[in-house]
Amino acid sequence: MDRCIVLVDAGYLLGAAASLLAGEPSRSRITVDHTALIQGLRERAEADTRQPLLRIYWFDGAPDRVPQPEHRRLRVMPRVTVRLGALTRSDGRWAQKGVDAAMHAELTELARNRACSDIVLVTGDGDLLPGMMAAKEHGVAVHLWAVQAADGDYNQSEDLVAEADERRVLDRAWITQAVRPKEHPGTCAPPPAPRPEIAAILSAPLPESALAAAAERTAPEPREQAPAGQNGTAERPAASGTKGVPTPKDLAALRGPAAAHPQPPASATLRWSSDRGWVDRPAAEPAEAASMPTLAQLTTAEQRWADREEDITTVGGDPYEVGQVFARRWVERLGDQSHIQKLSAMYPRIPHRVDGELLRYAARFGLLAHKDDQIDERDRYAIRAGFWRELDQRTGTERTAPSGE
């Protein structure tokens, strides 16, 4: 078949680009325009091989093989297929597993089936040498592309270079059409610029209950004259109740074997998961929040199937975008529109039932895990900010961010 196929080892391509532009192979040091990169690969492959492109295969690693936002954007692009291997962490470093094997299998299968006349390999790994030799035996021309090395030396296996039919170097001028270094000296992973909507949530005034509880926690305890104990020292009387937020130990003490139906103390408080800092609320959730329907309750089986299809083919996975998509579906399926006004009045807090469902939905996109084994709090704020932005657009509400943000 007179057409070309491109196989890209993303770890090599982006790692080498980071070394060239930022001085180290960490992909967190660069910003990638994936649309421009794919277009550049397509145009360069068609020009070099003089054959129309059939497909670009993008091989990369991901934690638990869960597609990350960049993979979700790539796999919905025309003529792009994403193949994911595992990404594991050992001794504080991430390592790809199974990517080379997947590339080798794809390379040999394409050549065996004569799916193309030319294959472009963007890799430097010598493990692909047997696959390259097998492809040549099946009459396929193999083009090997390298990324310009930062030190001017080879960053590819010499055996791979020697076996290739054609070789091309992607130089700095070509790389910078789609890849830019991040201008944040001294840090490998700078925080993203704040969105006004996130700043508005962070600067929202705390409820009176939170301010009162904070004052209670910081107020000095009165000194009382206590009776002397048997050893002559003053004994402090036992506290009559729990102050502020009870600790797990306080709550555990209420659940002794004699308590048939243990109840939390009247002063027990829970946390609004969508607030900042230590914000308290009464243990009993307001009636309007408790009655707020979840998206699952509003969604039919047909809609659930359509939602999953949209998630796979359209939603890129940006935290802000994920919050907007969830809010759009929730609002459009509400039968009782009064819930929108009730929820808007609770800003910036989201009822626990809805908020928990929102974060579980976001977890499908790989946003809430595998960030140094901790949940990324900034992603949480971005998800909720997207939720509120979509809700405000539906209700015509304008919320202003604080000055200077």
Side-chain angles (χ1 to χ4, degrees):
M1 299 293 288
D2 293 334
R3 51 194 180 185
C4 67
I5 291 177
V6 181
L7 306 183
V8 180
D9 180 351
Y12 166 77
L13 174 60
L14 300 182
S19 294
L20 177 64
L21 302 180
E24 60 181 89
S26 174
R27 287 160 65 170
S28 63
R29 296 296 304 271
I30 55 175
T31 300
V32 182
D33 182 343
H34 290 91
T35 302
L37 182 57
I38 293 299
Q39 183 62 27
L41 289 170
R42 177 172 187 166
E43 293 175 354
R44 190 65 172 264
E46 291 181 337
D48 280 10
T49 64
R50 296 185 176 89
Q51 303 293 346
L53 177 77
L54 173 62
R55 189 174 299 115
I56 295 175
Y57 288 89
W58 185 273
F59 295 86
D60 202 1
D64 296 335
R65 290 184 168 85
V66 176
Q68 300 300 293
E70 65 181 270
H71 303 138
R72 302 185 70 88
R73 289 191 292 270
L74 282 164
R75 67 184 185 179
V76 297
M77 293 181 183
R79 303 289 180 130
V80 176
T81 297
V82 175
R83 296 280 187 260
L84 294 179
L87 192 63
T88 59
R89 195 171 188 180
S90 177
D91 298 327
R93 300 182 63 183
W94 291 101
Q96 294 183 160
K97 300 293 183 182
V99 173
D100 297 336
M103 287 190 70
H104 179 276
E106 198 71 55
L107 173 60
T108 54
E109 190 70 14
L110 290 171
R112 183 182 299 113
N113 293 327
R114 292 180 171 80
C116 57
S117 59
D118 297 74
I119 289 180
V120 175
L121 289 177
V122 186
T123 186
D125 199 328
D127 290 344
L128 286 176
L129 181 60
M132 177 185 288
M133 297 173 65
K136 292 174 62 177
E137 291 174 358
H138 285 90
V140 175
V142 180
H143 304 249
L144 182 65
W145 289 0
V147 176
Q148 179 183 341
D151 55 7
D153 200 357
Y154 281 110
N155 54 12
Q156 290 179 303
S157 162
E158 292 189 14
D159 291 336
L160 206 63
V161 171
E163 191 68 28
D165 292 312
E166 302 284 348
R167 185 168 182 263
R168 174 76 65 178
V169 176
L170 304 176
D171 59 15
R172 180 186 295 267
W174 189 91
I175 292 293
T176 52
Q177 294 176 11
V179 183
R180 295 284 189 278
K182 289 182 178 178
E183 301 296 335
H184 290 275
T187 178
C188 290
R195 289 182 181 268
E197 295 84 357
I198 301 178
I201 292 178
L202 293 175
S203 63
L206 304 183
E208 294 181 2
S209 62
L211 297 176
E216 183 180 8
R217 285 193 296 270
T218 57
E221 297 184 6
R223 297 181 178 273
E224 298 179 2
Q225 186 65 31
Q230 293 179 354
N231 59 359
T233 59
E235 294 181 348
R236 183 179 298 277
S240 58
T242 306
K243 287 185 60 178
V245 179
T247 65
K249 182 178 179 181
D250 296 330
L251 296 177
L254 300 173
R255 288 166 167 76
H261 301 285
Q263 297 292 331
S267 60
T269 54
L270 299 176
R271 303 297 186 193
W272 281 103
S273 59
S274 55
D275 252 329
R276 66 182 173 95
W278 296 101
V279 179
D280 302 330
R281 69 171 176 83
E285 198 168 36
E288 60 270 20
S291 64
M292 203 75 69
T294 63
L295 181 60
Q297 294 172 330
L298 301 170
T299 303
T300 65
E302 292 80 5
Q303 289 172 326
R304 189 174 298 111
W305 188 92
D307 290 348
R308 195 62 175 162
E309 182 78 6
E310 182 184 14
D311 291 342
I312 294 172
T313 61
T314 305
V315 181
D318 174 77
Y320 192 79
E321 176 193 13
V322 168
Q324 287 184 303
V325 171
F326 182 93
R328 169 173 57 80
R329 294 173 182 171
W330 189 79
V331 170
E332 289 177 349
R333 295 167 193 175
L334 271 177
D336 184 358
Q337 296 297 307
S338 65
H339 286 300
I340 299 178
Q341 298 302 327
K342 293 177 183 177
L343 180 60
S344 184
M346 298 178 191
Y347 178 87
R349 293 172 291 280
I350 303 174
H352 283 286
R353 301 168 70 229
V354 178
D355 187 61
E357 188 182 37
L358 170 61
L359 295 180
R360 287 192 297 273
Y361 170 66
R364 298 180 186 176
F365 299 89
L367 294 174
L368 303 182
H370 312 298
K371 302 280 183 75
D372 294 330
D373 301 324
Q374 295 181 359
I375 292 175
D376 191 302
E377 192 65 18
R378 189 161 193 90
D379 278 355
R380 288 176 176 263
Y381 284 125
I383 292 163
R384 291 163 180 146
F387 177 91
W388 282 115
R389 181 58 177 168
E390 182 68 21
L391 193 72
D392 291 345
Q393 288 179 339
R394 300 275 174 167
T395 59
T397 305
E398 291 291 335
R399 305 189 195 275
T400 57
S403 59
E405 294 290 346

Coordinates of all heavy atoms in Angstrom, one line a residue, residues 158-200:
E158 N 23.0 3.4 18.2 CA 23.8 3.4 17.0 C 23.4 2.3 16.1 O 23.4 2.4 14.8 CB 25.3 3.4 17.3 CG 25.8 4.6 18.0 CD 27.3 4.6 18.2 OE1 28.0 3.8 17.5 OE2 27.8 5.4 18.9
D159 N 23.0 1.1 16.6 CA 22.6 0.0 15.8 C 21.3 0.4 15.0 O 21.1 0.0 13.9 CB 22.3 -1.2 16.6 CG 23.6 -1.8 17.2 OD1 24.7 -1.5 16.6 OD2 23.6 -2.5 18.2
L160 N 20.4 1.1 15.7 CA 19.1 1.5 15.1 C 19.4 2.5 14.0 O 18.8 2.4 12.9 CB 18.3 2.2 16.2 CG 16.7 2.1 16.0 CD1 16.2 0.7 16.0 CD2 16.0 2.9 17.1
V161 N 20.3 3.4 14.2 CA 20.7 4.4 13.2 C 21.3 3.7 12.0 O 21.0 4.0 10.8 CB 21.7 5.4 13.8 CG1 22.3 6.3 12.7 CG2 21.0 6.3 14.9
A162 N 22.2 2.7 12.2 CA 22.8 2.0 11.1 C 21.9 1.2 10.3 O 22.1 1.0 9.1 CB 23.9 1.1 11.7
E163 N 20.8 0.7 10.9 CA 19.9 -0.2 10.2 C 18.8 0.6 9.4 O 18.2 0.0 8.5 CB 19.2 -1.1 11.2 CG 18.4 -2.3 10.6 CD 19.3 -3.3 9.9 OE1 20.5 -3.4 10.3 OE2 18.8 -3.9 9.0
A164 N 18.5 1.8 9.8 CA 17.5 2.6 9.1 C 17.7 2.8 7.6 O 18.9 3.0 7.2 CB 17.3 3.9 9.8
D165 N 16.7 2.9 6.8 CA 16.8 3.2 5.4 C 17.1 4.7 5.2 O 17.9 5.0 4.4 CB 15.5 2.8 4.7 CG 15.3 1.3 4.6 OD1 16.3 0.6 4.3 OD2 14.2 0.8 5.0
E166 N 16.3 5.5 5.9 CA 16.5 6.9 5.8 C 16.5 7.5 7.3 O 15.9 6.9 8.2 CB 15.3 7.6 5.1 CG 15.1 7.1 3.7 CD 16.1 7.6 2.7 OE1 16.8 8.6 3.1 OE2 16.2 7.1 1.6
R167 N 17.2 8.6 7.4 CA 17.3 9.2 8.8 C 17.1 10.7 8.6 O 17.6 11.4 7.7 CB 18.7 8.9 9.4 CG 18.8 9.4 10.8 CD 20.0 8.9 11.6 NE 20.1 9.4 12.9 CZ 20.8 10.4 13.3 NH1 21.5 11.1 12.5 NH2 20.7 10.8 14.6
R168 N 16.4 11.3 9.6 CA 16.1 12.7 9.6 C 16.3 13.2 11.1 O 15.9 12.5 12.0 CB 14.7 12.9 9.2 CG 14.2 14.4 9.3 CD 14.8 15.2 8.2 NE 14.3 14.8 6.9 CZ 14.7 15.5 5.8 NH1 15.5 16.5 5.8 NH2 14.2 15.0 4.6
V169 N 16.8 14.4 11.2 CA 17.0 15.0 12.5 C 16.0 16.2 12.7 O 15.9 17.1 11.8 CB 18.4 15.6 12.8 CG1 18.5 16.3 14.1 CG2 19.4 14.4 12.7
L170 N 15.1 16.1 13.7 CA 14.2 17.2 14.0 C 15.0 18.2 14.8 O 15.2 18.0 16.0 CB 13.0 16.7 14.7 CG 12.2 15.5 14.1 CD1 11.1 15.0 15.0 CD2 11.7 15.9 12.7
D171 N 15.3 19.4 14.2 CA 16.1 20.3 14.8 C 15.4 21.3 15.7 O 14.1 21.2 15.8 CB 17.0 21.1 13.8 CG 16.1 21.9 12.8 OD1 14.9 22.0 13.1 OD2 16.6 22.3 11.7
R172 N 16.1 22.2 16.4 CA 15.5 23.1 17.3 C 14.4 24.0 16.7 O 13.3 24.2 17.2 CB 16.5 24.0 17.9 CG 16.0 25.0 18.9 CD 17.1 25.9 19.4 NE 18.2 25.3 20.1 CZ 18.2 25.1 21.4 NH1 17.2 25.7 22.2 NH2 19.2 24.5 22.0
A173 N 14.6 24.4 15.4 CA 13.7 25.3 14.7 C 12.4 24.5 14.5 O 11.3 25.1 14.7 CB 14.2 25.7 13.4
W174 N 12.4 23.2 14.2 CA 11.2 22.4 14.0 C 10.5 22.2 15.3 O 9.3 22.3 15.4 CB 11.6 21.1 13.3 CG 10.4 20.4 12.8 CD1 9.7 20.4 11.6 CD2 9.6 19.4 13.6 NE1 8.7 19.6 11.6 CE2 8.5 19.0 12.8 CE3 9.7 18.9 14.9 CZ2 7.6 18.0 13.2 CZ3 8.8 18.0 15.3 CH2 7.8 17.5 14.5
I175 N 11.3 21.8 16.3 CA 10.7 21.5 17.6 C 10.0 22.7 18.2 O 8.9 22.5 18.8 CB 11.8 21.0 18.6 CG1 12.4 19.6 18.1 CG2 11.3 20.9 20.0 CD1 11.4 18.5 18.2
T176 N 10.5 23.9 18.1 CA 9.9 25.0 18.8 C 8.7 25.5 18.1 O 8.0 26.4 18.6 CB 11.0 26.2 18.8 OG1 11.5 26.4 17.5 CG2 12.1 25.9 19.8
Q177 N 8.3 24.9 17.0 CA 7.0 25.3 16.4 C 5.9 24.8 17.2 O 4.7 25.3 17.1 CB 6.9 24.7 15.0 CG 7.9 25.3 13.9 CD 7.8 24.6 12.6 OE1 6.9 23.8 12.3 NE2 8.8 24.9 11.7
A178 N 6.1 23.7 18.0 CA 5.0 23.2 18.8 C 5.4 23.0 20.3 O 4.5 22.7 21.1 CB 4.6 21.8 18.3
V179 N 6.7 23.2 20.7 CA 7.1 23.0 22.0 C 7.8 24.2 22.5 O 8.6 24.8 21.8 CB 8.1 21.7 22.1 CG1 8.5 21.5 23.6 CG2 7.4 20.5 21.5
R180 N 7.5 24.6 23.8 CA 8.1 25.8 24.4 C 8.6 25.4 25.8 O 8.0 24.7 26.5 CB 7.1 26.9 24.5 CG 6.6 27.5 23.1 CD 7.7 28.4 22.5 NE 7.2 29.1 21.3 CZ 7.0 28.5 20.1 NH1 7.4 27.3 19.9 NH2 6.6 29.2 19.1
P181 N 9.8 26.0 26.2 CA 10.2 25.8 27.6 C 9.4 26.7 28.5 O 8.9 27.7 28.1 CB 11.7 26.2 27.5 CG 11.7 27.2 26.4 CD 10.8 26.8 25.4
K182 N 9.1 26.2 29.7 CA 8.4 27.0 30.7 C 9.4 28.0 31.3 O 10.5 27.6 31.8 CB 7.8 26.1 31.8 CG 6.6 25.3 31.2 CD 6.0 24.5 32.4 CE 4.8 23.7 31.9 NZ 4.2 22.8 32.9
E183 N 9.0 29.2 31.4 CA 9.9 30.3 31.9 C 9.7 30.4 33.4 O 9.2 31.3 33.9 CB 9.6 31.6 31.3 CG 9.8 31.6 29.8 CD 11.3 31.3 29.4 OE1 12.2 31.6 30.2 OE2 11.5 30.8 28.3
H184 N 10.2 29.3 34.2 CA 10.1 29.3 35.6 C 11.4 28.8 36.2 O 11.5 27.6 36.6 CB 8.9 28.5 36.1 CG 7.6 29.1 35.8 ND1 7.0 30.0 36.6 CD2 6.7 28.9 34.8 CE1 5.8 30.4 36.1 NE2 5.6 29.7 35.0
P185 N 12.4 29.6 36.2 CA 13.7 29.1 36.7 C 13.6 28.7 38.1 O 12.9 29.3 38.9 CB 14.7 30.3 36.5 CG 13.8 31.5 36.5 CD 12.5 31.0 35.8
G186 N 14.3 27.6 38.5 CA 14.4 27.1 39.8 C 13.3 26.2 40.2 O 13.3 25.7 41.4
T187 N 12.4 25.9 39.4 CA 11.3 24.9 39.7 C 11.0 24.1 38.5 O 11.0 24.6 37.4 CB 10.0 25.7 40.2 OG1 9.1 24.7 40.5 CG2 9.5 26.6 39.2
C188 N 10.7 22.8 38.7 CA 10.4 21.9 37.6 C 9.0 21.9 37.3 O 8.6 21.6 36.2 CB 10.9 20.5 38.0 SG 12.7 20.3 38.0
A189 N 8.1 22.1 38.2 CA 6.7 22.0 38.0 C 6.0 23.3 38.6 O 5.4 23.2 39.7 CB 6.1 20.8 38.6
P190 N 6.0 24.4 37.9 CA 5.4 25.6 38.5 C 3.9 25.5 38.5 O 3.3 24.9 37.6 CB 5.9 26.7 37.5 CG 6.2 26.0 36.2 CD 6.7 24.6 36.6
P191 N 3.3 26.1 39.5 CA 1.8 26.1 39.5 C 1.2 26.9 38.3 O 1.8 27.9 37.9 CB 1.5 26.7 40.9 CG 2.6 27.6 41.2 CD 3.8 26.9 40.6
P192 N 0.1 26.5 37.8 CA -0.5 27.2 36.7 C -1.0 28.6 37.2 O -1.3 28.8 38.3 CB -1.7 26.3 36.2 CG -2.0 25.5 37.4 CD -0.7 25.3 38.1
A193 N -1.2 29.5 36.2 CA -1.7 30.8 36.5 C -3.1 30.7 37.1 O -3.9 29.9 36.6 CB -1.7 31.7 35.3
P194 N -3.4 31.4 38.1 CA -4.8 31.3 38.7 C -5.9 31.8 37.8 O -5.7 32.8 37.1 CB -4.7 32.2 40.0 CG -3.6 33.2 39.7 CD -2.6 32.4 38.8
R195 N -7.0 31.1 37.8 CA -8.1 31.6 37.1 C -8.9 32.5 38.0 O -8.9 32.4 39.2 CB -9.0 30.4 36.7 CG -8.5 29.5 35.6 CD -9.5 28.5 35.3 NE -9.1 27.5 34.3 CZ -9.3 27.7 33.0 NH1 -10.0 28.7 32.5 NH2 -8.9 26.8 32.1
P196 N -9.5 33.6 37.4 CA -10.3 34.5 38.2 C -11.4 33.8 39.0 O -11.7 34.1 40.2 CB -11.0 35.5 37.2 CG -10.0 35.4 36.0 CD -9.5 34.0 36.0
E197 N -12.0 32.7 38.4 CA -13.1 32.0 39.1 C -12.5 31.3 40.4 O -13.2 31.2 41.4 CB -13.8 31.0 38.2 CG -14.5 31.7 37.1 CD -13.6 32.0 35.9 OE1 -12.4 31.7 36.0 OE2 -14.1 32.5 34.9
I198 N -11.3 30.7 40.3 CA -10.7 30.0 41.4 C -10.4 31.1 42.5 O -10.6 30.9 43.7 CB -9.5 29.3 41.0 CG1 -9.8 28.2 39.9 CG2 -8.8 28.6 42.2 CD1 -8.6 27.5 39.4
A199 N -9.8 32.2 42.1 CA -9.5 33.3 43.0 C -10.8 33.7 43.8 O -10.7 34.1 45.0 CB -8.9 34.4 42.3
A200 N -11.9 33.8 43.1 CA -13.2 34.2 43.7 C -13.6 33.2 44.8 O -14.1 33.6 45.8 CB -14.3 34.3 42.6

